[in-house]
Amino acid sequence: MSRLPQRGLILAARAWRGAAVCKSCALRRFSIQPAQQKKIPNRYLGQPSPFTHPHLLKPGEVTPGLSQVEYALRRHKLMVSIQKEAQGCDGLDHTVILLSNPTYYMSNDIPYIFHQDTNFLYLCGFQEPDSILVLQSIPGKALPSHKSILFVPRRDPNRELWDGPRSGPDGAIALTGVDEAYTIEEFRHLVAKLKGESNVVWYDLRKPVHAELHSDYMQPLAEVKARSKNRIQAVRHLVQNLRLIKSPAEIERMKIAGRVTAEAFTETMFASKTPVDEAFLYAKFEFECRARGADILAYPPVVAGGNRSNTLHYVKNNQLIKDGELVLLDGGCEFSCYVSDITRTWPVNGRFTKPQAELYQAVLDIQKSCLSLCSPGMSLENIYSLMLSLIGQKLKDLGVLDSSITDSHFFKAVRKYCPHHVGHYLGMDVHDTPDISRSIPFQPGMVITIEPGIYIPEDDVSAPEKFRGIGVRIEDDVVITEDAPLVLSADCPKDIYHLEQICGRSS
């Protein structure tokens, strides 16, 4: 493969920062020199490559839509964060260690579909289990200069006969663009060098993602470092801070995930009929996502008919939905490492009853008001407070809450009918960057969900009888921009007229 053009690096650097810079400034800022790309081996690796899957990856891409340069910039930015955190630690070497996920088994030798740890994946794009990523400062050079090293499973014809091909060190270097790669057994030689006082190790001791690699290598190292003045430092929060702001390439992936999911919702609505099994709608939704290129569903979907929609995490999806009932479907897909998370509620017979329409329109009005506030400077907590106020007023208007309710009881009463938050961060995970506070101000590049709901159980004798057993949630995925919010799920119908048009055609 030809040498990566220097112009390509500069353009990628500009896109990452969103500002024009000169060539020399860009190279100083990112400390990444265009390197000779190694030729992808002419064989199957442990994941798709541009050689074996040219319909999915372009030359230079590690995962679809994301290049080696993008991953290198992420690693660079993490080392910039390390540099800031390590101020006052001059003369010390710094080593960042992230473990991959293991393979999990549902029984005996039957594995679950492998899904990579997203912090590990974010920094290198390598999708094999039992691997380790190391970012190590370079002696004699100041941070953020570093070298990146992968330790990966060795090639083993016997295991590959059963489990499929492995990339091996040569494939890992060529595909991901890291500086070096070795077999996982060689990691012990590096660990031995990290026990000294001059080495600062950055690793997440409290939440090890791979129990065996942790106990074999990291726990013994941690015990030594616990007696040292340079104890192991956590790195998870630094990675999450980077993941919070999406690059243009990441947002493009999420646009596709949103569009695929919206189309799957529309097809599932069109297939509604009465009576209909929740399991059928589940299967239809998953099929439509996968048929459009989704890798997997992002999470077990909620397909809740009638009163079951008032169970927030109802995932049994095994009951019949009767004529005249609503169905609440909360589902999303994963597309090239990025996910969607959308909820819609609709009448399976194609026509809202008057009470259903009143409650549904109330939630829709609230959701649109919340969406209008998704701009820089606001926060999820700000919008949550507004959502509670709006829900309270709508519940008064509908006669669910007494208009004379006192302020001291108001929010408690509202939370009875909407016990969840207005939204969460979204990205490689459904509940992305979970350690990041919902109180921080929005910045361009953040992606969030907005999902108000009103839930009135059928046994709530304090509510008007006509609303009992109705649960409504409407959820969209939103990119924060400098201007108006970008709704990734905008193609998914939610107005009453459009829902009845689509669902009514199947009745």
Side-chain angles (χ1 to χ4, degrees):
M1 193 169 291
S2 62
R3 186 179 179 86
L4 178 66
Q6 201 162 39
R7 172 174 167 76
L9 172 67
I10 304 304
L11 291 176
R14 289 179 179 175
W16 187 272
R17 291 290 187 182
V21 290
C22 72
K23 170 180 168 181
S24 60
C25 292
L27 293 178
R28 285 199 305 273
R29 176 182 293 172
F30 293 107
S31 299
I32 298 173
Q33 297 294 331
Q36 180 71 36
Q37 285 189 348
K38 295 188 182 297
K39 187 176 186 298
I40 299 287
N42 294 342
R43 59 179 174 83
Y44 277 89
L45 305 181
Q47 66 192 75
S49 77
F51 174 76
T52 58
H53 293 70
H55 59 293
L56 296 180
L57 294 107
K58 299 175 183 176
E61 289 184 344
V62 184
T63 56
L66 299 176
S67 68
Q68 290 186 1
V69 171
E70 173 116 2
Y71 282 101
L73 290 175
R74 293 173 177 181
R75 295 191 291 270
H76 174 86
K77 291 180 75 174
L78 177 59
M79 298 310 281
V80 169
S81 299
I82 297 286
Q83 181 184 30
K84 292 176 181 177
E85 292 266 320
Q87 287 182 350
C89 299
D90 296 338
L92 298 177
D93 296 322
H94 296 269
T95 302
V96 179
I97 299 174
L98 292 102
L99 308 183
S100 78
N101 270 339
T103 300
Y104 291 103
Y105 291 85
M106 63 178 75
S107 67
N108 195 21
D109 57 353
I110 306 301
Y112 288 105
I113 297 296
F114 178 72
H115 196 268
Q116 188 60 278
D117 175 75
T118 47
N119 286 332
F120 177 94
L121 185 63
Y122 178 79
L123 291 169
C124 65
F126 195 64
Q127 299 195 53
E128 292 184 44
D130 310 324
S131 303
I132 301 174
L133 174 67
V134 174
L135 308 180
Q136 197 165 41
S137 61
I138 300 173
K141 291 188 177 182
L143 290 172
S145 294
H146 69 282
K147 65 177 178 179
S148 52
I149 311 168
L150 273 171
F151 294 87
V152 304
R154 69 168 57 251
R155 299 208 60 205
D156 181 339
N158 183 53
R159 289 313 316 163
E160 292 181 56
L161 174 66
W162 292 92
D163 302 330
R166 295 178 177 179
S167 298
D170 63 327
I173 290 177
L175 179 63
T176 67
V178 296
D179 298 307
E180 302 172 13
Y182 306 96
T183 62
I184 194 70
E185 292 82 3
E186 294 176 86
F187 183 65
R188 68 180 187 275
H189 301 304
L190 175 63
V191 171
K193 299 176 182 178
L194 300 178
K195 297 178 180 179
E197 293 285 351
S198 63
N199 289 284
V200 179
V201 175
W202 300 78
Y203 169 75
D204 290 305
L205 269 175
R206 294 188 177 182
K207 295 184 177 181
V209 301
H210 194 304
E212 185 176 346
L213 291 178
H214 175 77
S215 62
D216 287 351
Y217 299 114
M218 299 310 299
Q219 187 61 42
L221 176 62
E223 291 169 0
V224 172
K225 301 299 279 186
R227 301 188 292 271
S228 164
K229 63 181 180 182
N230 291 326
R231 298 193 174 190
I232 290 179
Q233 304 294 312
V235 72
R236 172 184 165 103
H237 67 290
L238 299 179
V239 181
Q240 288 197 18
N241 284 335
L242 298 182
R243 287 176 55 182
L244 185 64
I245 309 296
K246 274 62 179 179
S247 72
E250 290 180 283
I251 291 172
E252 285 303 312
R253 296 294 96 191
M254 297 192 74
K255 284 180 180 177
I256 297 172
R259 185 184 70 244
V260 164
T261 310
E263 291 174 358
F265 262 96
T266 301
E267 292 296 333
T268 305
M269 291 173 185
F270 183 72
S272 298
K273 56 187 183 298
T274 56
V276 63
D277 199 312
E278 293 166 346
F280 170 79
L281 296 181
Y282 180 168
K284 177 66 173 175
F285 177 74
E286 180 168 15
F287 168 77
E288 296 296 344
C289 287
R290 297 291 295 270
R292 288 167 171 75
D295 301 305
I296 55 174
L297 292 185
Y299 52 94
V302 174
V303 187
N307 185 61
R308 295 176 297 284
S309 61
N310 294 305
T311 301
L312 300 182
H313 287 167
Y314 172 84
V315 292
K316 294 184 183 299
N317 304 338
N318 61 3
Q319 187 56 273
L320 284 175
I321 308 172
K322 302 171 188 173
D323 187 26
E325 290 185 324
L326 300 179
V327 60
L328 185 156
L329 199 162
D330 183 338
C333 74
E334 180 175 314
F335 193 100
S336 302
C337 308
Y338 289 84
V339 304
S340 58
D341 180 4
I342 302 173
T343 306
R344 291 293 186 264
T345 309
W346 69 88
V348 290
N349 68 2
R351 188 68 58 186
F352 285 91
T353 66
K354 189 171 185 297
Q356 289 171 349
E358 289 176 345
L359 199 62
Y360 183 91
Q361 190 62 49
V363 174
L364 183 59
D365 292 344
I366 294 164
Q367 204 239 7
K368 289 181 176 180
S369 295
C370 292
L371 285 173
S372 70
L373 296 176
C374 295
S375 59
M378 290 294 288
S379 71
L380 281 169
E381 281 297 334
N382 294 152
I383 299 176
Y384 175 57
S385 296
L386 172 77
M387 180 196 77
L388 291 177
S389 297
L390 292 175
I391 288 176
Q393 185 56 55
K394 290 289 187 181
L395 290 175
K396 286 182 180 181
D397 295 343
L398 293 170
V400 178
L401 290 183
D402 194 313
S403 59
S404 62
I405 190 170
T406 62
D407 291 343
S408 59
H409 293 93
F410 178 78
F411 287 108
K412 181 179 179 181
V414 172
R415 281 191 287 267
K416 171 186 174 182
Y417 293 106
C418 184
H420 60 73
H421 207 281
V422 72
H424 52 81
Y425 303 115
L426 191 70
M428 298 178 80
D429 289 316
V430 177
H431 291 171
D432 208 47
T433 60
D435 297 338
I436 303 293
S437 169
R438 287 175 169 141
S439 298
I440 65 169
F442 292 151
Q443 300 176 52
M446 286 185 179
V447 184
I448 61 170
T449 66
I450 294 294
E451 48 182 303
I454 295 177
Y455 312 91
I456 304 178
E458 62 184 3
D459 59 357
D460 184 357
V461 296
S462 65
E465 185 176 359
K466 64 180 180 178
F467 294 127
R468 295 176 197 170
I470 301 175
V472 175
R473 180 165 67 253
I474 305 171
E475 176 181 18
D476 281 306
D477 304 341
V478 186
V479 181
I480 306 299
T481 75
E482 293 284 3
D483 304 309
L486 172 62
V487 180
L488 298 173
S489 45
D491 291 341
C492 192
K494 62 182 177 181
D495 289 329
I496 288 178
Y497 174 78
H498 293 132
L499 292 176
E500 292 188 336
Q501 286 293 106
I502 295 169
C503 300
R505 291 191 310 176
S506 66
S507 300

